């Protein structure tokens, strides 16, 4: 199924699962006048119910395991999950730490990985564009 | 009479579609202009159309804790009532479609219903954030109601004093007899204060910053709308967009009802077209001052500040306007 319905209208919900705020600040930087993702119709929303993209940062601590799964279930279909930052991708320096339940793709299906510690806003925007293409082509898991 | 009825019925879908289109267009302009004011490029003007189209495709989730029938019916009520108000409003020198069936008082009451629908939706969605948002929405609603009523009643009073025997609360009559022409210098000042009050009430009615306490994404995660998704969210979005047109048209009918065709000496269809364009310009200016500019300029108030702003300052300004108008009336009697 090919559609252009998600073309330039992606609403992103940002979930911090124990991140150090490095990635989160880079995500906010993407909203600033210099990068301005609103040009492409992207918007950060306050509730997962409004979201098309679930953007996860952080290595998923034990406390956040249940919340991550619930927020994933709360996001209406069709949706894509995007993990931003090394921690969310692999666990990074927290790998095999006793208090981690993650990385995120052990708990929920992840569609787009954006590595970097933290990734630059360009990388975050590129990741969102990939997510949008997945939604358009209906290739999401 | 039958012909009139047919014409009116034919006008209903036209006005409804025009209202929704204009509302979405206003939303697009709002986002572009706010972005420009923040030195960003901003989305294209057509962005709200895309957003609504996308929302209609999304899954429509009803939470387990929600009261399903209320949760699903209030978005329909909000949208349909907002469109219904359009039928009571005069456009470009025409009488309202439902002229004689309801007046300004009814419109003020109908304006409450979309807000009440939001409140009900918030309470019925079974989420703490939505409950907090619904309570805030109620408090905001109670705060701006009084200055709005003072402004409307003052206008009706001026018009009934100037034209004895007229149905003073009829919006058609109000739009035909501009209040500015019927008062002296003191009254003009009073009317200006009332116009200011109406413009201050607009962002509260529309739930935009600085009065967006009920939605407040950064504190209560979307507030009243937190559990809404897909089709229901799209309907609330549309209702909000149409409400901007409704409020803009009310301000125009009460305070800026002039057409341009008469002064330009145009007649026939060209006059209607000229008036329509002039109406759009007025609507844009009213919405720009009452919503877009204020949203970009001021950050969100706390709920206590909202109450203070409306019950305190806006009420004071509107009563001062009413006082000036009464003095004007008295000075004429003497």
């Amino acid at each position: 199924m090919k559609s252009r319905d998600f073309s330039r209208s992606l609403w992103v919900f940002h979930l911090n699962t124990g991140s150090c705020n490095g990635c989160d600040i880079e995500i906010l930087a993407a909203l600033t006048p210099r990068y301005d993702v609103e040009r492409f119709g992207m918007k950060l929303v306050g509730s997962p119910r409004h979201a098309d993209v679930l953007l996860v940062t952080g290595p998923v601590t034990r406390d956040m395991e249940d919340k991550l799964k619930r927020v994933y279930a709360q996001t209406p279909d069709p949706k894509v999950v995007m993990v931003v930052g090394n921690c969310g991708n692999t666990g990074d320096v927290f790998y095999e730490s006793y208090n981690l339940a993650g990385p995120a793709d052990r708990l929920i299906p992840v569609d787009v990985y954006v590595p970097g510690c933290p990734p630059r806003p360009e990388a975050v925007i590129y990741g969102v564009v990939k997510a949008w293409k997945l939604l358009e082509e209906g290739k999401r898991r | 009479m039958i012909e009139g009825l047919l014409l009116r019925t034919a006008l209903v879908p036209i006005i409804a579609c025009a209202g929704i289109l204009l509302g979405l267009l206003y939303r697009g302009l709002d986002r572009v202009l706010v972005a420009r004011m923040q030195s960003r490029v901003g989305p294209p003007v057509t962005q709200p159309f895309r957003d609504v189209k996308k929302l209609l495709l999304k899954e429509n989730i009803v939470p387990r804790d929600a009261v399903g029938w209320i949760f699903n019916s209030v978005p329909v009520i909000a949208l349909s009532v907002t469109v219904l108000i359009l039928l009571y409003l005069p456009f470009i020198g025409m009488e309202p479609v439902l002229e004689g069936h309801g007046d300004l008082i009814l419109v003020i009451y109908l304006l409450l219903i979309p807000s009440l629908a939001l409140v009900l939706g918030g309470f019925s969605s079974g989420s703490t954030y939505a409950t907090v948002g619904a309570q805030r929405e109620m408090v905001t609603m109670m705060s701006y109601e009084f200055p709005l009523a003072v402004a409307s009643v003052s206008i009706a009073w001026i018009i009934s004093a100037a034209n004895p025997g007229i149905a003073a609360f009829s919006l058609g009559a109000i739009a035909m007899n501009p209040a500015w022409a019927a008062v002296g210098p003191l009254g003009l000042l009073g009317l200006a204060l009332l116009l200011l009050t109406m413009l201050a009430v607009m962002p509260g009615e529309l739930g935009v910053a600085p009065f967006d306490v009920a939605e407040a994404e950064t504190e209560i995660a979307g507030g009243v709308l937190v559990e809404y998704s897909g089709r229901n969210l799209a309907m609330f979005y549309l209702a909000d967009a149409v409400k901007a047109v409704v409020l803009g048209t009310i301000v125009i009918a009460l305070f800026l009802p002039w057409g341009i065709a008469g002064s330009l000496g145009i007649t026939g269809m060209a006059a209607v077209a000229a008036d329509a364009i002039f109406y759009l310009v007025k609507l844009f200016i009213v919405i720009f001052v009452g919503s877009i500019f204020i949203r970009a300029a001021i950050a969100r108030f706390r709920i206590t500040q909202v109450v203070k702003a409306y019950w305190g300052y806006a009420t004071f300004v509107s009563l001062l306007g009413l006082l000036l108008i009464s003095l004007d009336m008295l000075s004429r009697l003497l």
Side-chain angles (χ1 to χ4, degrees):
Chain A
M1 178 191 87
K2 235 181 163 81
S3 76
R4 297 196 53 75
D5 300 317
F6 285 85
S7 168
R8 295 179 163 232
S9 168
L10 278 188
W11 291 4
V12 181
F13 179 74
H14 169 204
L15 179 70
N16 180 333
T17 62
S19 153
C20 69
N21 273 343
C23 300
D24 311 69
I25 285 169
E26 295 304 314
I27 290 160
L28 289 184
L31 296 170
T32 56
R34 186 173 181 88
Y35 297 100
D36 188 27
V37 287
E38 209 193 345
R39 277 180 297 163
F40 311 119
M42 290 172 204
K43 178 168 117 172
L44 269 189
V45 290
S47 161
R49 298 271 195 230
H50 306 174
D52 308 304
V53 177
L54 182 58
L55 198 158
V56 182
T57 59
V60 192
T61 57
R62 284 211 184 285
D63 264 358
M64 287 305 288
E65 180 184 358
D66 168 49
K67 278 99 178 168
L68 177 62
K69 285 180 183 163
R70 269 170 55 193
V71 166
Y72 178 75
Q74 280 169 355
T75 312
D77 283 327
K79 62 191 164 196
V80 286
V81 180
M82 202 179 135
V83 174
V84 170
N86 282 350
C87 293
N89 284 328
T90 63
D92 204 26
V93 289
F94 308 109
Y95 182 64
E96 289 196 328
S97 181
Y98 65 95
N99 54 1
L100 282 199
D105 58 0
R106 271 197 213 155
L107 305 168
I108 54 171
V110 173
D111 303 288
V112 180
Y113 298 88
V114 180
C117 185
R120 288 188 59 85
E122 289 95 332
V124 178
I125 296 170
Y126 180 63
V128 177
V129 171
K130 283 186 86 170
W132 155 43
K133 282 191 175 153
L134 284 175
L135 273 175
E136 297 259 303
E137 289 160 13
K139 271 186 190 161
R140 55 162 300 281
R141 264 176 280 180
Chain B
M1 196 60 216
I2 289 293
E3 205 175 82
L5 192 69
L6 275 177
L7 184 69
R8 287 179 182 203
T9 319
L11 271 175
V12 171
I14 298 176
I15 288 183
C17 293
I20 289 175
L21 283 179
L22 264 181
L24 287 178
L25 199 64
Y26 136 74
R27 269 290 177 106
L29 277 173
D30 170 86
R31 286 182 68 176
V32 173
L33 289 171
V34 169
R36 294 291 154 90
M37 283 186 244
Q38 295 172 341
S39 73
R40 291 186 287 120
V41 176
V45 181
T46 50
Q47 187 63 42
F49 294 91
R50 285 179 174 151
D51 286 348
V52 167
K53 185 176 148 213
K54 180 209 68 184
L55 280 175
L56 290 174
L57 282 168
K58 294 280 286 185
E59 189 187 2
N60 188 26
I61 299 178
V62 180
R64 201 185 331 150
D65 295 339
V67 186
W69 64 274
I70 301 181
F71 187 83
N72 279 320
S73 59
V74 287
V76 184
I77 293 173
L79 180 57
S80 50
V81 170
T82 319
V83 172
L84 176 70
I85 304 174
L86 279 179
L87 304 182
Y88 285 105
L89 301 180
F91 289 97
I92 48 170
M94 287 189 299
E95 284 206 322
V97 176
L98 292 175
E99 175 70 37
H101 296 276
D103 52 15
L104 185 57
I105 303 281
L106 180 73
V107 167
I108 290 175
Y109 276 109
L110 282 178
L111 268 177
L112 277 177
I113 292 182
S115 304
L116 275 177
L118 262 181
V119 169
L120 270 178
F123 279 132
S124 69
S125 55
S127 153
T128 331
Y129 291 122
T131 310
V132 174
Q135 284 164 352
R136 289 181 175 193
E137 175 75 30
M138 262 198 309
V139 171
T140 318
M141 201 164 76
M142 287 187 273
S143 314
Y144 62 63
E145 209 54 26
F146 187 64
L148 180 67
V150 170
S152 319
V153 170
S154 310
I155 298 278
W157 185 32
I158 292 173
I159 285 169
S160 70
N163 314 282
I166 206 170
F169 277 106
S170 145
L171 271 159
I174 291 174
M176 290 299 156
N177 306 286
W180 302 90
V183 289
L186 271 178
L188 286 182
L189 192 62
L191 273 175
L193 288 179
L194 291 180
L195 175 60
L196 201 70
T197 317
M198 279 299 276
L199 290 175
V201 167
M202 263 185 83
E205 281 267 10
L206 295 174
V208 299
F211 300 107
D212 59 342
V213 280
E215 284 166 36
E217 284 180 358
T218 38
E219 343 165 8
I220 50 172
V224 271
L225 295 177
V226 71
E227 294 292 341
Y228 277 99
S229 58
R231 193 182 66 232
N232 285 339
L233 184 61
M235 272 190 274
F236 271 130
Y237 190 94
L238 285 175
D240 240 24
V242 178
K243 206 173 173 190
V245 178
V246 166
L247 280 168
T249 311
I250 291 176
V251 173
I252 289 173
L254 291 182
F255 291 98
L256 315 157
W258 307 283
I260 201 173
S263 44
L264 288 180
I266 312 171
T267 47
M269 280 312 281
V272 176
D275 271 346
I277 292 168
F278 189 55
Y279 161 76
L280 289 179
V281 172
K282 285 191 291 187
L283 185 68
F284 173 74
I285 293 172
V286 168
I287 290 179
F288 182 81
V289 177
S291 156
I292 303 177
F293 176 68
I294 209 166
R295 178 168 97 88
I298 310 180
R300 183 184 310 125
F301 285 156
R302 271 180 283 128
I303 182 70
T304 51
Q305 292 169 321
V306 168
V307 175
K308 203 174 162 194
Y310 280 137
W311 266 121
Y313 304 128
T315 304
F316 176 73
V317 171
S318 66
L319 286 178
L320 193 65
L322 182 59
L323 185 72
L324 287 173
I325 289 170
S326 345
L327 286 177
D328 186 75
M329 297 268 194
L330 277 177
S331 68
R332 289 174 174 222
L333 285 179
L334 293 176

